[in-house]
Amino acid sequence: MADRARLRGPEPVTVELSINHRTRILEIEPRTSLLDALREQLDLTGSKKGCDQGTCGACTVWVDGRRVLACLTLAITCEGREITTIEGFSDGRRMNAMQRSFIKHDAFQCGYCTPGQVMSAVALLDEGHASSDAEIAE
Amino acid sequence: MADSVTRTRTDLSSVTQDGVGTSPRRPDGTLKVTGEFAYSSDMWMEDMLWGMTLRSPHPHARIHGIDTTEALKLPGVHAVLTHEDVPGEKLYGLELRDQPVLAFDKVRYKGEAVAVVAADHPETARRALDRITVDYEVLEPVSDGRRAAFDEHCPRVHEEGSLPVHEEYNQKGNLVRYQPVRTGSFADGTPVSRLRAQAGAVVRTEYEVGMQDQAFLGPESGMAVPAEDGGVDLYVATQWLHVDQGQIAPALGLPDEKVRLTLAGVGGAFGAREDLSMQIHACMLALRTGRPVKVVYNREESFVGHVHRHPAKMRFEHGARSDGTLLYATLEIILDGGAYASSTPAVVGVASSLGIGPYEVPNVAVDAYGVYTNNPPCGAMRGFGAVQACFGYESQMDKLAEKLGMHPVELRIKNAMAQGSKIITGQVVDMPLPMAEMLRRARDMPMPPARDELPDPSDLRTLPGGVANTSHGEGVVRGVGYGVGLKNICYSEGFDDYSTARVRMEAIGGEPSVMVHTAAAEVGQGLVTIKGQIARTELGVERVTVHPSDTRVGSAGSSSASRQSYMTGGAVKLACEAVRERVFALARERGLVGAGHSDELLSLTGGKVVSETDGVLASLADLLGSDAVEETREFHHRTTRPLDPLHGQGASHTQFAMCVHRAVVDVDVDLGLVKVVALDAVQDVGKVLHPQQLAGQIQGGATQGLGLALMEEIQVEESVIRNPSFTDYLIPTILDTPPMRIEVLERPDPNAPYGLRGAGEPPTLSSTPAIVAAVRDATGRDLTHAPVRPEDIVGIDV
């Protein structure tokens, strides 16, 4: 994948991404991060830019079901993979149990990093790392 | 979280659901968990441009020229603006107008805005910044706050005569404000030596509090849209729309009504959005280009894009009689305000008036200085001047207790203020202040299990550092510490920070509904929830909508000083009462209320007009028909007074609030790591409006105090920030945050709506000294610097 990236650019190139089960065609520079592609090209602003260097987690999305930090991931490296963002997470009208739980427990204030937390929390459960408070914290 | 709140008094007899005292869900909650909530950085318009800022690379330099020619030649660049393009006033500021919209003549801190660019792509804008040439003559920066305060040969950060004059601030040299307080024999000029001679124990220490960042997650951002009337519409994340408007409009040379602000989604604030950041720049670019302009700071830029908590250097001396009764205190507090004043004068006002905290001390001398330096500007942050002093006076209490062989709680109770006490400004605490009881409650809360009582003490996750711990706990020692903080609520010193609310009741689809409109900023504290609750309680209507906050209604004041529940809550309550009176009058007009019925017997409940004697008189939907009842009201708190500039006397504060913390820590003295095991609080909030959101405020405030105790410090060397990222500036995460037990008292303040007391800041005061005291207890080290650094706590034999 890295080889293919090296062969393209630096001028904008065509990149085909599958995001929330929809195919999207973009004209972007190969060095564009997945986060910038989502937010600035595709109007998917649910993933947030907090630190832009992989420390805060507000940009967490899934690539092939695994958690990744969209600010540290090049969009072009996600070709041929399935990207899931917070927008594709609930089925349009009904919220997921995790989202309902965040609301019920008032688990946010300004909410800026909440989409990233929700994406991370659900993946944590799926990965089987949520058996105790201590394990969740780690 | 709400499960951990122990209520000591309940009066939740409200009939209408989701009113005051209950925990309805946040009205903006669904949008926030689904990613649809539009934060200021999420806005987008078809033909918008991106604005970007050129910043000074030097903390102090003279500007001999700015050349924008090459930048303007770059395709895609639509405007490059400097100070010459500022249409109106070239200076702005919260309290003193001393900060250039764009630098001219000089730059006074590293990161100061020098020029702004609008381009069709952020990368183009960035490249344009690289093509601007600025001719700087680098000057030596003033980096030391103490030197700025006392050295008369220290260079001036602002040229003499260039600043607005406020005689009451005792301005001189680089002093933004000097505020002394003198009580007891210090008021007569008695030297401290005479009191020292009478004391059984004297403690004298120098403390330092580091520069803390608010570290909100959503960086500064907004969008300015030019309007057909020559004005501009600005969508921005801020804490006070009207004070922004009052600074932006003069800079643009426009009347206020042509600069219309709407609150965009706010990703946290904590004081950092009180000052302007990108507001004027975006408006200038939009007006020049005739196109919408969006500006979004990145994280590194954000570290210089907003003010920080003032770092403090403090010399405290306390003397007590042998029985522990406090005899005197002398405090010198130097607050480094950086290059521009921001809210430094008010921070000095708080630090001086609350400098000795909630203790009865008959003889006090305080000297509080706010200074200009070439360091990054400092201003508002949660706790505002009270946080720094609290670290000092609470550390002093612990040292005195140790010297006198007393328990730290015992010493505090012996000298505790209560209702009727006078603080050092002569102001009487004319509201409940159950400090002694709160301390006892904090002391008596259940302790977390000792390390050897844990199910598996060898589980690395229970150790300081977690699984990263490499020592397996041989050097882990435990400590316990207490902290108490006294905070003023609402603005002080004669400032009339009123709030305005417009409330409209009408029947929609046969159902009574209420709309609440204010200009108050929802920054995550949950004010939108509280406004709805108050309307439901006052008007007996469950369907309440909260109108977006904008400048089309009167000012709400700032979302700071823990004041919005009090002030905007008070305004909503007043406006609702006015609507209710009109509804009763309408019912009388229609002959639905008997002549003998006074309004006192009437209420609005469950969407109906109800009489205490005759039951339901009418449904609101029927009564209103197609009419709407609308009222707008301003709410003002009681008048406060400035401090006199000589002795610091005057009833300067609106309300006092207090939190008590008990911290339990484990310290690994081999590795220099601290784990906070428990951080339990007792807070009096007068009246709980929303138990769940309150728990979030207390726990969040305590966590921000934990950050200041153990990890958060902006490292400034030679006036340059060395750690402007979340990799190098650490804030507490889930791994650093212990379970927090909370006990809430409700002793109503007779002056406040519902008896409530502002709740957001007090926990931020008390948690820092409690944690540092616990680390001291564990290590025996002096620990005079907050945050505690690893090198402060290693090399100890256990």
Side-chain angles (χ1 to χ4, degrees), chain B residues 392-435:
Chain B
Y393 61 70
E394 285 302 272
S395 299
Q396 290 287 92
M397 291 305 114
D398 291 330
K399 283 165 198 254
L400 268 180
E402 196 189 348
K403 221 167 193 178
L404 291 160
M406 293 171 78
H407 190 278
V409 169
E410 189 195 346
L411 179 83
R412 285 174 169 85
I413 289 175
K414 190 167 188 73
N415 295 286
M417 281 189 178
Q419 184 163 13
S421 295
K422 273 187 189 170
I423 70 164
I424 53 175
T425 60
Q427 180 169 11
V428 176
V429 178
D430 56 351
M431 63 202 75
L433 193 73
M435 176 169 164

Side-chain angles (χ1 to χ4, degrees), chain B residues 493-641:
Chain B
E493 298 192 75
F495 200 91
D496 181 19
D497 51 317
Y498 67 94
S499 182
T500 316
R502 178 168 75 95
V503 172
R504 179 185 176 91
M505 184 195 276
E506 62 194 315
I508 297 174
E511 201 189 322
S513 71
V514 171
M515 186 278 302
V516 179
H517 185 193
T518 78
E522 167 65 46
V523 298
Q525 80 276 46
L527 184 66
V528 285
T529 329
I530 302 286
K531 287 193 282 193
Q533 288 175 269
I534 292 173
R536 286 187 203 101
T537 292
E538 297 302 324
L539 296 174
V541 169
E542 279 171 24
R543 199 162 116 188
V544 178
T545 54
V546 176
H547 191 281
S549 295
D550 56 34
T551 49
R552 286 168 175 81
V553 64
S555 174
S558 181
S559 289
S560 51
S562 307
R563 63 179 284 287
Q564 284 294 23
S565 292
Y566 193 130
M567 297 305 300
T568 293
V572 172
K573 185 166 183 278
L574 265 189
C576 286
E577 285 163 1
V579 166
R580 194 168 59 203
E581 268 176 41
R582 287 212 15 219
V583 170
F584 292 159
L586 196 63
R588 282 181 198 284
E589 262 171 47
R590 306 270 162 90
L592 298 167
V593 182
H597 251 81
S598 73
D599 274 8
E600 279 74 61
L601 292 173
L602 299 176
S603 65
L604 298 181
T605 308
K608 297 182 172 59
V609 183
V610 180
S611 152
E612 213 170 278
T613 50
D614 301 349
V616 174
L617 301 180
S619 90
L620 279 172
D622 293 344
L623 181 63
L624 292 165
S626 57
D627 295 339
V629 178
E630 183 178 308
E631 290 291 339
T632 301
R633 287 290 181 279
E634 273 180 16
F635 179 78
H636 299 254
H637 61 64
R638 59 176 169 173
T639 311
T640 60
R641 305 199 52 79

Side-chain angles (χ1 to χ4, degrees), chain B residues 284-331:
Chain B
M284 282 171 58
L285 291 168
L287 290 170
R288 175 64 72 95
T289 60
R291 287 171 63 170
V293 174
K294 172 172 168 170
V295 178
V296 182
Y297 289 1
N298 64 33
R299 180 55 57 186
E300 182 179 353
E301 190 175 21
S302 179
F303 269 91
V304 291
H306 61 255
V307 299
H308 309 288
R309 187 190 299 294
H310 289 75
K313 291 178 198 282
M314 307 184 290
R315 287 180 176 165
F316 280 25
E317 177 174 330
H318 281 69
R321 297 186 190 281
S322 306
D323 67 352
T325 310
L326 290 169
L327 180 62
Y328 74 91
T330 65
L331 322 177

Side-chain angles (χ1 to χ4, degrees), chain B residues 157-171:
Chain B
V157 176
H158 292 265
E159 287 65 31
E160 201 157 356
S162 70
L163 293 168
V165 177
H166 285 259
E167 280 179 9
E168 71 278 18
Y169 291 162
N170 298 309
Q171 292 159 318

Side-chain angles (χ1 to χ4, degrees), chain B residues 729-745:
Chain B
Y729 181 91
L730 299 180
I731 55 178
T733 70
I734 187 171
L735 281 170
D736 305 298
T737 315
M740 301 184 213
R741 201 183 294 269
I742 300 169
E743 277 192 29
V744 173
L745 305 186

Side-chain angles (χ1 to χ4, degrees), chain A residues 31 39 45-46 48-51 53 55 86 95 99 102-106 108-112 115 135 137-138, chain B residues 26 32-33 35 39 41-42 123 127 217-218 266-268 299 461 467 523-524 692-693 696 725-727 735:
Chain A
R31 61 174 176 162
R39 290 182 55 83
T45 55
K48 303 301 177 194
K49 192 182 275 192
C51 67
Q53 58 170 217
T55 54
I86 189 78
M95 278 188 290
Q99 291 168 314
F102 264 67
I103 291 178
K104 182 180 168 204
H105 295 285
D106 199 37
F108 53 91
Q109 289 177 332
C110 81
Y112 190 82
E135 189 178 5
E138 281 301 331
Chain B
R26 290 173 189 257
K32 284 182 172 178
V33 300
Y39 293 90
S41 52
D42 298 337
E123 271 309 306
R127 285 170 198 155
L217 262 289
V266 182
R299 180 55 57 186
R461 293 174 305 190
V467 293
V523 298
Q692 211 180 24
Q693 288 189 176
S725 76
F726 285 164
T727 305
L735 281 170

